[in-house]
Every structure is written in structure tokens, then in C-alpha cells.
């Protein structure tokens, strides 16, 4: 029996090797394989889900620049709140771009492929995340982008920069902290000032103004990520007597996601030459949690070194699912953390995480594992309108947009 499975596994690896050899690759200046660039650059705005080091040098409690964060990332801890890739790392690779540098570290020609301005604990509202002290709210992230544009313009000229920026992807993922580290925090008065719909309306109003500001700075291709099912993250599960999802928290964020969908429809209509798309993170996340075991082997196992060309998740399932039908087997606790559901205290320095990280949905109390980040990134890149609306990132990147 063992020999039989070994032959099956060997055959599967041969097929995988063939697909890797046949795939078209482009070699980057850093010596790594990547696709041909689909856009000039990607500019990233958000919170800890996509922060890659902007909080490292801030007087902040929201940092991830220590082990075991980055345990599966080539180079170790960088400030990413993950064991490896974030969602935007995967999207950058699919767009043919190198990994996008953090604003705090980017200099010279590095900024020409984009900049990541995201900051852990940041929110749409400036007051969000004050419990963590240092953080960079969305409004300040936009100001940092304006500084980058001014720097590039001095070198390339205003007209060339404007044309290039109009072709770039602007990825924005905000809102989670406005709930987790504002509305739901006992030392904030927000909950007493607004009901769920009123707060969602306040966020959408501010969000619209901020995105319009980015548009006025030249942005045209926007990817807006919704808020996930926050009632099912380990930090919330740890507060439940029976360790179940909080439907109150899940319902709380529904008006925000509904408002964001309405907002992008309005912005597509009212801002000439713009295209806004919406990533339904909640739907994707629910699918991962509900059908965790159905996903087979997460593709991250094949890419630990980030030197192998990633092949499609569907192809991996087709070839390997019959011998490696493992899937995400743990969806109710973090791989790294302390207390109930490993969600009461997040990863401590030098803590030993779970060994089978690619079977976990959650890395720590708040954030997905790299395997889930890669999966969601792929869904956002090439998913159908039920996952990313009204088109996916691949379609947005190749869309012919007339600019003023």
C-alpha cells in the first residue's frame, strides 16, 4: 500500500514539474521569477492585514518585526502580521511586480513599482487605534502618497507621472480597526454615540472623501477590500463561553460592507475615468471557514522559499487532492498566541508557533495565515463577480481607461 501511494505521489510531482517548466516566467532584477508586469506599480493603503513594516520604527504596540512573525518569509520578520505572505504580496506577484516596499523603507528607484503605506491599528477615522499609540491613519497615508508623487514628479515630470499613475493599481483595505479598535473598545464612547447603521454611514462618508482625495492625486484604478467576518477571529472567539462566532459582531459590520458597495457604485459614476472594484472578503472568508477541509493542500507549501513559480490553486487540487486531501483543518484558533483559542494574547517574541501552519486559517488572534492570504489574493485577482465586483483585479489591470 505504501509503495502504491508513493507511485501516485511521484506521478503527481512529475505533472507539477511539467507545469512549472511550461509556465512563462520573467526574471526580476533581484533574481526571482515573476510574470510580465501588467501595471507600472501598485500603491497600498490599509491596516495590519497588509502592513509590511511601516510601524517598525513608530512608538507603537502594534508591531510584528520579531519572531515568530515571518517564520516562513524569505528574510524573516519584516513587520508583516503573518507567518509569510500577505494578500497584497500575492497580488503583486500575480501582477508581475516585485514585492512592494514599505513607505518607511522605500527610497530611490524602489518607489517606481509602488509603495505600501499601510499601518497596523490604522483606521478610516483618525482616532481609531489610539490604544496602540503610534499608527498612521488613512488620511496620513494619503499624505505620504502625495509626498511620494512629489518626489517622483521632480525626476520624471508631471505629465509622465500623471499618465503612469492612472495605469497603476491602488489597493485600499480599511475599516476593520474602526470596529475592533474603536467601536468595540470599552474606553471609546463611539458605541454610545452611534448605532451600527449610523457608524457605518459616518465611515462611508469619511471614506468617500478620502478616496476622492486619492482620485484628485491621479489614482484611477481602485481595489477596495471589504471587512471580513470579524465575529469569527480568535480574539472574538476567546470571548465566547462556548468558543463560537459572535453573530452580533458579524451583524455589526454588515452595514459598513453594504455602504462600501454603494459607495464604489457612486464613485464609478461620479468620478470620470475611474474604476472601483470591491473584494468581498467576508464571502471569501466564510467560504474558507465553512469549507476549510475541501481546499486540499494549500499552495503555500510549494512556495516556502518564494523561488518556485506558483501555479494555480485549481491545478494543484486537480493533481494532488487525491493524495494530499488535508485542507485547512483548524479554523477556530490561532497558530500562534496565548489563552483561549490562542486569541487572548497575540504572538509573543520567540514563541513557538504550530508546526503545521498551512492547515490553520488563522496565524494569530487577528490575522490569517500566509496560506489563506495567498488563497484570498488569488480569488481577488481572478475570481468571479460573486467574490470581486464588478470585475476582478486581472480585468481591472488590463482595462482600457480613458483619462482626462
Amino acid at each position: 500500500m505504501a509503495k502504491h501511494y508513493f507511485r501516485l505521489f511521484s506521478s503527481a510531482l512529475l505533472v507539477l514539474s511539467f507545469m512549472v517548466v511550461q509556465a512563462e516566467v520573467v526574471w526580476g532584477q533581484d533574481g526571482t521569477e515573476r510574470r510580465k508586469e501588467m501595471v507600472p506599480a501598485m500603491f497600498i493603503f490599509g491596516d495590519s492585514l497588509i502592513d509590511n513594516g511601516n510601524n517598525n520604527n513608530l512608538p507603537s504596540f502594534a508591531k510584528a518585526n520579531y519572531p515568530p512573525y515571518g517564520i516562513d518569509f524569505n528574510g524573516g520578520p519584516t513587520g508583516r502580521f503573518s507567518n509569510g505572505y500577505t494578500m497584497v504580496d500575492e497580488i503583486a506577484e500575480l501582477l508581475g511586480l516585485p514585492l512592494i516596499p514599505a513607505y518607511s523603507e522605500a527610497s530611490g528607484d524602489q518607489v517606481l513599482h509602488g509603495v505600501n503605506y499601510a499601518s497596523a491599528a490604522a483606521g478610516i477615522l483618525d482616532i481609531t487605534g489610539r490604544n496602540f499609540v503610534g499608527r498612521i491613519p488613512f488620511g496620513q497615508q494619503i499624505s505620504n502618497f502625495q509626498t511620494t508623487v512629489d518626489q517622483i514628479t521632480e525626476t520624471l515630470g508631471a505629465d509622465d507621472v500623471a499618465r503612469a499613475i492612472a495605469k497603476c493599481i491602488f489597493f485600499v483595505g480599511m475599516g476593520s480597526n474602526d470596529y475592533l479598535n474603536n467601536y468595540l473598545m470599552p474606553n471609546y464612547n463611539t458605541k454610545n454615540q452611534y448605532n451600527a447603521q449610523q457608524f457605518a454611514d459616518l465611515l462611508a462618508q469619511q471614506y468617500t472623501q478620502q478616496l476622492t482625495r486619492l482620485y484628485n492625486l491621479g489614482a484611477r484604478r481602485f481595489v477596495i477590500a471589504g471587512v471580513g467576518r470579524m465575529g469569527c477571529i480568535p480574539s472574538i472567539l476567546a470571548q465566547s463561553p462556548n468558543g463560537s462566532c459572535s453573530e452580533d459582531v458579524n451583524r455589526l459590520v454588515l452595514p459598513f460592507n453594504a455602504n462600501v458597495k454603494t459607495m464604489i457604485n457612486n464613485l464609478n459614476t461620479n468620478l470620470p475615468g475611474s474604476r472601483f472594484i470591491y473584494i468581498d472578503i467576508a464571502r471569501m472568508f466564510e467560504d474558507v471557514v465553512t469549507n476549510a477541509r475541501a481546499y486540499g493542500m494549500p499552495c503555500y507549501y510549494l512556495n516556502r522559499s518564494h523561488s518556485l513559480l506558483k501555479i494555480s490553486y485549481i491545478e494543484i487540487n486537480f493533481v494532488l487532492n487525491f493524495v494530499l486531501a488535508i485542507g485547512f483543518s483548524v479554523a477556530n484558533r490561532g497558530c500562534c498566541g496565548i489563552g483561549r483559542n490562542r486569541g487572548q494574547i497575540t504572538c509573543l517574541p520567540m514563541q513557538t508557533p504550530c508546526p503545521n501552519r498551512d492547515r490553520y486559517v488563522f496565524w494569530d488572534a487577528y490575522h490569517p495565515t500566509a496560506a489563506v492570504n495567498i488563497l484570498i489574493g488569488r480569488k481577488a485577482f481572478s475570481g468571479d463577480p460573486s467574490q470581486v465586483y464588478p470585475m476582478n483585479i486581472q480585468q481591472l489591470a488590463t482595462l482600457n481607461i480613458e483619462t482626462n
Side-chain angles (χ1 to χ4, degrees):
M1 182 64 71
K3 292 182 178 179
H4 175 67
Y5 281 122
F6 179 79
R7 286 195 298 270
L8 288 174
F9 185 69
S10 299
S11 299
L13 289 180
L14 285 172
V15 176
L16 283 175
S17 299
F18 174 78
M19 288 192 288
V20 169
V21 170
Q22 293 297 311
E24 179 182 356
V25 299
V26 174
W27 290 91
Q29 292 181 351
D30 57 359
T32 58
E33 297 171 325
R34 66 174 192 261
R35 297 182 176 193
K36 183 177 180 181
E37 293 177 4
M38 298 179 66
V39 294
M42 179 166 65
F43 297 96
I44 300 161
F45 307 80
D47 52 33
S48 60
L49 290 169
I50 49 180
D51 183 1
N52 65 342
N54 284 310
N55 280 21
N56 289 355
N57 298 320
L58 293 181
S60 174
F61 295 113
K63 295 186 180 184
N65 57 343
Y66 57 86
Y69 288 102
I71 189 172
D72 298 310
F73 189 84
N74 186 15
T78 59
R80 288 169 169 82
F81 287 75
S82 170
N83 57 305
Y85 267 26
T86 66
M87 173 172 55
V88 291
D89 290 329
E90 179 67 8
I91 291 170
E93 283 201 347
L94 292 170
L95 288 169
L97 299 172
L99 296 185
I100 308 301
Y103 176 71
S104 62
E105 301 172 354
S107 61
D109 291 345
Q110 287 181 312
V111 305
L112 298 181
H113 281 109
V115 179
N116 186 329
Y117 303 92
S119 170
I124 294 169
L125 303 179
D126 287 349
I127 196 174
T128 289
R130 68 183 178 193
N131 289 352
F132 291 94
V133 191
R135 77 279 183 204
I136 309 170
F138 187 28
Q140 182 59 47
Q141 292 180 32
I142 297 173
S143 296
N144 290 343
F145 168 71
Q146 187 168 7
T147 299
T148 300
V149 172
D150 293 342
Q151 293 171 344
I152 298 174
T153 301
E154 290 179 2
T155 304
L156 302 180
D159 290 342
D160 288 341
V161 169
R163 282 192 291 269
I165 289 177
K167 298 176 182 178
C168 297
I169 296 291
F170 284 74
F171 187 102
V172 184
M174 301 296 304
S176 295
N177 283 312
D178 293 291
Y179 288 94
L180 287 174
N181 292 303
N182 184 332
Y183 196 86
L184 291 171
M185 295 297 291
N187 62 328
Y188 277 79
N189 195 40
T190 313
K191 199 170 185 177
N192 298 323
Q193 294 176 307
Y194 308 97
N195 62 31
Q197 186 62 59
Q198 291 170 338
F199 188 60
D201 292 345
L202 172 69
L203 293 177
Q205 181 183 23
Q206 181 75 5
Y207 211 1
T208 299
Q209 294 172 2
Q210 292 164 332
L211 293 172
T212 301
R213 183 181 167 199
L214 272 178
Y215 171 85
N216 290 333
L217 289 170
R220 291 297 181 268
R221 301 170 196 256
F222 293 84
V223 179
I224 310 299
V227 170
R229 285 173 54 83
M230 293 192 306
C232 296
I233 64 177
S235 68
I236 299 296
L237 295 176
Q239 301 172 32
S240 169
N242 58 2
S244 60
C245 295
S246 170
E247 292 308 318
D248 287 341
V249 173
N250 284 335
R251 284 192 294 269
L252 175 65
V253 301
L254 289 178
F256 174 76
N257 282 336
N259 280 3
V260 171
K261 292 177 185 178
T262 300
M263 177 188 72
I264 69 166
N265 287 333
N266 291 337
L267 291 173
N268 276 329
T269 300
N270 297 326
L271 298 181
S274 69
R275 289 297 183 274
F276 288 77
I277 68 174
Y278 174 76
I279 303 176
D280 197 336
I281 298 293
R283 181 185 290 270
M284 293 180 186
F285 182 80
E286 184 175 12
D287 181 50
V288 169
V289 172
T290 303
N291 303 304
R293 293 181 180 274
Y295 276 99
M297 177 185 177
C299 61
Y300 192 61
Y301 261 124
L302 298 179
N303 306 284
R304 275 286 165 80
S305 67
H306 305 298
S307 61
L308 290 177
L309 179 67
K310 283 190 265 300
I311 54 182
S312 84
Y313 192 78
I314 293 175
E315 289 165 339
I316 291 173
N317 273 346
F318 179 77
V319 178
L320 292 179
N321 203 40
F322 63 98
V323 288
L324 292 170
I326 299 171
F328 297 111
S329 56
V330 184
N332 64 346
R333 64 182 183 274
C335 172
C336 181
I338 303 294
R340 297 184 62 189
N341 300 86
R342 293 183 187 163
Q344 291 178 294
I345 301 176
T346 195
C347 291
L348 298 177
M350 305 307 295
Q351 181 184 353
T352 301
C354 63
N356 50 344
R357 293 178 283 280
D358 289 324
R359 299 188 191 182
Y360 276 66
V361 172
F362 294 102
W363 162 245
D364 63 12
Y366 303 95
H367 308 99
T369 57
V372 172
N373 283 331
I374 287 174
L375 177 59
I376 291 178
R378 286 186 171 273
K379 286 176 177 284
F381 184 78
S382 57
D384 61 50
S386 69
Q387 300 171 328
V388 53
Y389 164 88
M391 67 184 71
N392 58 44
I393 294 175
Q394 184 176 25
Q395 292 166 334
L396 177 68
T398 57
L399 190 67
N400 183 21
I401 298 177
E402 294 185 6
T403 58
N404 296 336

